[in-house]
Amino acid sequence: MDEVEVVVAHAERATLRVGDVFLKVDADRARTDAEVEAMSLAPVPTPAILWREPPVLAIAAVPGATLGRLGGRATGSAAGWAAAGAAIRTLHDAPPPPRTGRAGRSAAALGAELDAECALLVANGVLPADLVARNRRVAEAALRPWTPAFTHGDLQIAHVFLDGDEVTGIIDWSEAGRGDALYDLATFTLGHEDHLDDVLAGYGDDVDLDLDVIRAWWSARSLLAVRWLVEHGFDPFAPGCEVDVLRSRM
């Protein structure tokens, strides 16, 4: 019998791997519904759904490997990063799904969420006040109108698999929906800013991409993640992770 590997586990959800099958357990059925819907609509490679029995979703492993992970050394050629950028562009150009995703918060809602989170980070002594204030100012550029796109919503580098320079699968679609395309680009390059040019080369230069907004999303996403990560057993203070991203803006 294959061993059971715990890929990730916290109070909200868990993912287990048994051989070539991933079992995703999520108490929030809406997240699983969003994931299944998004994978059925996305015009990019996604894992095959083997079966579903709420709260469990079984999906097949995808071939290939990721370009790295947040806090780790990035791998892959410039062509591989560009291939990921091209796949992201294909997704963003598709008709947006009816559901609003994680990247789809309004400017007003995002601003209120950032202000509340920044206050908690300082009040609880999680981060220094000057670090929080500087990144909140940087994050302001993300608070602007945007054209709805088909967004993944949690496009971490660890969620995109490649075989050589070909994208073989994008996983973890529970935050997908209508949203700001630059949120996905920022999430994918978070902590790996030196590969942004490669990603954008694949994404294409026929659209106007505001780099200040991508940088703003690096700050916003990190500010919003730090306390959640600490409370769920992860370490945003590890080298190259969210707190280092925030420090790089100083």
Side-chain angles (χ1 to χ4, degrees), residues 18-200:
V18 185
D20 289 333
V21 177
F22 285 89
L23 302 176
K24 304 188 70 173
V25 185
D26 196 327
D28 185 347
R29 181 164 180 168
R31 275 196 296 253
T32 307
D33 289 343
E35 179 156 19
V36 171
E37 177 187 60
M39 287 194 291
S40 72
L41 296 174
V44 294
T46 61
I49 297 175
L50 302 177
W51 51 267
R52 182 183 182 190
E53 188 66 39
V56 182
L57 174 67
I59 62 175
V62 297
T66 69
L67 292 168
R69 60 180 178 81
L70 183 61
R73 185 177 66 88
T75 60
S77 64
W81 285 85
I88 297 169
R89 176 64 183 277
T90 298
L91 176 67
H92 290 168
D93 282 348
R99 187 188 305 266
T100 298
R102 179 64 175 164
R105 288 162 290 182
S106 69
L110 177 62
E113 186 178 354
L114 277 168
D115 290 341
E117 191 61 32
C118 288
L120 287 171
L121 288 169
V122 174
N124 295 338
V126 179
L127 293 175
D130 60 339
L131 182 65
V132 172
R134 168 58 181 162
N135 279 275
R136 177 61 184 86
R137 289 195 296 272
V138 173
E140 187 69 19
L143 310 182
R144 87 280 178 231
W146 40 266
T147 301
F150 192 149
T151 55
H152 180 280
D154 191 21
L155 200 62
Q156 301 175 43
I157 187 177
H159 291 164
V160 180
F161 286 74
L162 294 93
D163 185 359
D165 297 333
E166 179 183 356
V167 174
T168 55
I170 300 177
I171 65 172
D172 286 0
W173 291 82
S174 61
E175 306 288 351
R178 302 170 70 88
D180 180 2
L182 297 192
Y183 180 88
D184 274 353
L185 289 169
T187 301
F188 188 69
T189 54
L190 185 74
H192 298 287
E193 300 177 16
D194 52 328
H195 288 287
L196 177 61
D197 286 345
D198 296 328
V199 172
L200 295 184

Side-chain angles (χ1 to χ4, degrees), residues 210-250:
D210 191 331
L211 298 185
D212 285 341
V213 175
I214 293 178
R215 296 184 186 101
W217 273 123
W218 285 334
S219 289
R221 195 182 193 285
S222 298
L223 286 169
L224 294 173
V226 167
R227 195 169 55 89
W228 186 94
L229 290 167
V230 170
E231 292 175 353
H232 288 80
F234 301 100
D235 186 8
F237 291 87
C241 291
E242 285 81 1
V243 175
D244 272 356
V245 171
L246 296 172
R247 289 170 177 157
S248 70
R249 306 273 75 82
M250 297 298 285

